[in-house]
């Protein structure tokens, strides 16, 4: 044993003298996402972080957040997000984040991409999903009720396809995978959590990290991992965003109360890397940039994609640290930065601001 290694026998004696057994002190839950993102950054070849760009972006983001009074209250201000603070909203958010993946279309005509008409408005992207859920509830289809997902006689595949119908000739991407996620989640909630999403949330004992781990352990469709250099890399985008949406919707209270909300990272998808690149935070190798600008698909789990996701998580963490360094009293976490960047990204798309396209990956993970 080296001088730096602890003497386990002496530690056991000390614990006994203090009346502490081996199970009394347990480690805090760890999602491993941030640690793995740093590993990806340290070993990245095709995606790099620009230090000056990241610091400049941190200053700009903070100034804009202050100017707009940006906080988690913005979540409920979105027209389609639920306003009620009850159990039905927890179910709504669970389904929303269960299916919160892959909204981009290969259709070159943006007017013909998948979209949902709801109450006289057309919604695309993530908002098309939320609109479809809203529309189904208005049609008295109990789509947010997990027990409904179990009944293939009532909740048929054809009904699910009808629920997510498009206002164009395009269909929602990966519809078969979405149906599989719904069926699988229904079975697991029924078997492991007495048919209740509320029980799933309560089992985490107000720990955000514990809830992420519950989701990724019990539900295969939430276990968002990849491999880089024979090392498993944890991303857990949709599991993390479920916690973030609960936190924002319930404003840190009731079902949104988590004592370790700061353990949640940015949500590694395809929009935030695009925004970070446009802000001068991320730089790509010529081969990767050529692929993205050429609108060529980046395969899920390939080295390019892992680097894009991992470096984006680490970049947002560095932005957060820089904001706190400049403003020690700032109450900011990766969730707020992610939400702000996503909302800003949507504004830029509407304004047709020129920027690099988002990378194209077909995946249930984001």
């Amino acid at each position: 044993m080296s001088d730096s290694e602890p003497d386990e026998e002496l530690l056991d004696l000390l614990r006994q003298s203090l009346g502490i057994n081996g199970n009394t002190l347990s480690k805090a839950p760890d999602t491993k996402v941030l640690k793995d993102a740093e590993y990806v950054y340290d070993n990245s070849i095709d995606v790099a972080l620009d230090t000056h760009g990241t610091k400049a972006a941190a200053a700009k983001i903070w100034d804009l957040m202050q100017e707009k009074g940006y906080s988690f209250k913005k979540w409920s201000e979105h027209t389609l997000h639920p306003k009620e603070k009850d159990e039905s909203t927890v179910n709504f958010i669970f389904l929303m984040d269960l299916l919160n993946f892959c909204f981009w279309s290969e259709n070159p005509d943006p007017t013909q991409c998948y979209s949902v008409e709801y109450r006289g408005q057309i919604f695309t992207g993530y908002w098309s999903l939320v609109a479809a859920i809203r529309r189904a509830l208005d049609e008295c289809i109990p789509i947010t009720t997990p027990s409904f997902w179990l009944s293939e006689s009532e909740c048929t595949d054809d009904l699910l396809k009808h629920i997510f119908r498009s206002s164009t000739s395009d269909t929602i991407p990966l519809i078969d995978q979405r149906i599989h996620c719904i069926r699988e989640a229904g079975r697991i909630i029924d078997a492991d959590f007495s048919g209740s999403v509320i029980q799933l949330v309560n089992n985490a004992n107000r720990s955000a990290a514990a809830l992420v781990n519950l989701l990724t352990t019990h539900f295969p469709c939430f276990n968002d991992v990849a491999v880089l250099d024979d090392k498993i890399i944890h991303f857990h985008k949709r599991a993390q965003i479920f916690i973030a949406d609960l936190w924002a919707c319930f404003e840190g209270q009731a079902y949104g109360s988590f004592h370790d909300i700061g353990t949640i990272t940015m949500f590694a998808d395809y929009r935030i890397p695009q925004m970070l690149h446009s802000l001068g935070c991320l730089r790509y190798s010529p081969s990767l940039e050529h692929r993205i600008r050429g609108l060529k698909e980046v395969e899920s789990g390939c080295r390019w994609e892992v680097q894009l996701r991992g470096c984006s998580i680490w970049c947002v963490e560095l932005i957060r640290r820089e904001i706190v360094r400049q403003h020690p009293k700032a109450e900011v976490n990766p969730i707020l930065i992610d939400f702000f960047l996503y909302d800003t990204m949507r504004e830029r798309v509407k304004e047709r601001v020129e920027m690099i396209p988002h990378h194209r990956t077909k995946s249930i993970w984001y």
Side-chain angles (χ1 to χ4, degrees):
M1 182 179 70
S2 70
D3 292 339
S4 61
E5 293 177 337
D7 187 321
E8 291 297 334
E9 291 185 3
L10 286 175
L11 285 175
D12 286 339
L13 288 172
L14 179 59
R15 292 189 187 104
Q16 292 173 24
S17 69
L18 295 174
I20 300 172
N21 61 45
N23 297 321
T24 303
L25 294 177
S26 58
K27 291 182 179 180
D30 179 15
T31 69
K32 302 179 182 177
V33 176
L34 187 61
K35 179 174 63 178
D36 288 352
E38 184 178 15
Y39 175 86
V40 173
Y41 163 72
D42 287 340
N43 293 274
S44 181
I45 297 171
D46 297 284
V47 182
L49 269 62
D50 185 300
T51 303
H52 295 295
T54 301
K55 289 184 176 182
K60 185 175 183 179
I61 289 167
W62 179 249
D63 287 346
L64 286 173
M65 289 177 77
Q66 297 309 293
E67 181 183 313
K68 295 182 177 183
Y70 201 88
S71 72
F72 56 24
K73 294 181 183 293
K74 292 290 183 183
W75 192 95
S76 294
E77 292 177 9
H78 288 291
T79 306
L80 294 175
H81 277 160
K83 307 298 184 288
E84 302 80 6
K85 312 296 184 187
D86 57 22
E87 294 184 12
S88 67
T89 292
V90 177
N91 286 344
F92 188 106
I93 293 172
F94 182 83
L95 176 63
M96 186 175 74
D97 291 325
L98 179 68
L99 304 179
N100 186 357
F101 56 82
C102 196
F103 299 107
W104 61 271
S105 173
E106 295 177 357
N107 196 318
D109 183 355
T111 66
Q112 293 303 309
C113 293
Y114 175 75
S115 60
V116 169
E117 183 175 357
Y118 178 64
R119 296 186 177 181
Q121 285 185 266
I122 298 294
F123 296 93
T124 60
Y126 159 76
W127 293 111
S128 65
L129 169 67
V130 188
I133 296 172
R134 282 283 192 192
R135 182 176 61 188
L137 293 174
D138 286 357
E139 294 170 350
C140 297
I141 302 172
I143 186 58
T144 59
T145 304
S147 59
F148 178 65
W149 309 339
L150 289 172
S151 175
E152 294 193 31
S153 61
E154 294 183 25
C155 182
T156 64
D157 287 4
D158 285 342
L159 178 61
L160 289 171
K161 290 175 182 178
H162 171 75
I163 287 169
F164 298 109
R165 65 191 181 275
S166 177
S167 60
T168 69
S169 58
D170 210 353
T171 58
I172 189 169
L174 305 182
I175 181 61
D176 291 337
Q177 289 87 334
R178 293 177 198 277
I179 292 173
H180 175 78
C181 287
I182 289 173
R183 303 283 190 217
E184 178 183 78
R187 290 192 296 269
I188 293 168
I189 291 170
D190 180 64
D192 296 354
F193 302 100
S194 302
S196 171
V197 178
I198 296 298
Q199 181 171 315
L200 164 66
V201 174
N202 288 341
N203 281 5
N205 296 315
R206 296 181 56 249
S207 168
L211 185 49
V212 168
N213 292 342
L214 276 173
L215 286 165
T216 58
T217 300
H218 286 265
F219 299 82
C221 66
F222 276 110
N223 190 28
D224 175 12
V225 298
V227 176
L228 184 70
D229 301 331
D230 297 323
K231 176 180 171 58
I232 295 176
I233 305 298
H234 300 76
F235 291 120
H236 300 330
K237 182 260 186 179
R238 290 188 295 106
Q240 289 201 106
I241 206 169
F242 175 59
I243 285 85
D245 284 342
L246 287 176
W247 174 73
C249 175
F250 289 91
E251 299 183 357
Q253 303 297 316
Y255 300 117
S257 174
F258 300 100
H259 62 77
D260 57 348
I261 195 65
T263 61
I264 301 300
T265 70
M266 159 268 188
F267 320 117
D269 64 359
Y270 50 83
R271 282 299 187 188
I272 302 303
Q274 181 187 23
M275 188 67 188
L276 293 173
H277 184 278
S278 73
L279 287 170
C281 302
L282 295 184
R283 295 284 180 263
Y284 302 154
S285 68
S287 55
L288 174 57
E289 181 154 347
H290 178 75
R291 183 133 191 121
I292 292 173
R293 290 191 182 278
L295 306 181
K296 303 294 184 182
E297 189 168 340
V298 176
E299 185 179 350
S300 178
C302 76
R303 191 177 186 92
W304 277 343
E305 193 236 9
V306 173
Q307 291 175 84
L308 284 164
R309 301 184 78 195
C311 288
S312 295
I313 294 172
W314 189 243
C315 182
V316 169
E317 172 62 16
L318 294 183
I319 288 172
R320 183 198 67 80
R321 293 181 185 183
E322 179 63 16
I323 290 173
V324 173
R325 189 182 73 82
Q326 292 288 342
H327 310 277
K329 295 183 179 180
E331 294 185 1
V332 64
N333 59 31
I335 297 173
L336 283 178
I337 295 171
D338 183 289
F339 283 175
F340 177 80
L341 289 174
Y342 181 82
D343 288 345
T344 304
M345 185 75 248
R346 294 284 295 182
E347 291 172 6
R348 288 194 170 200
V349 169
K350 285 182 180 179
E351 295 167 0
R352 299 185 182 278
V353 175
E354 187 175 345
M355 65 185 82
I356 194 171
H358 65 74
H359 70 277
R360 296 184 163 217
T361 299
K362 282 200 178 298
S363 163
I364 70 165
W365 308 124
Y366 60 97

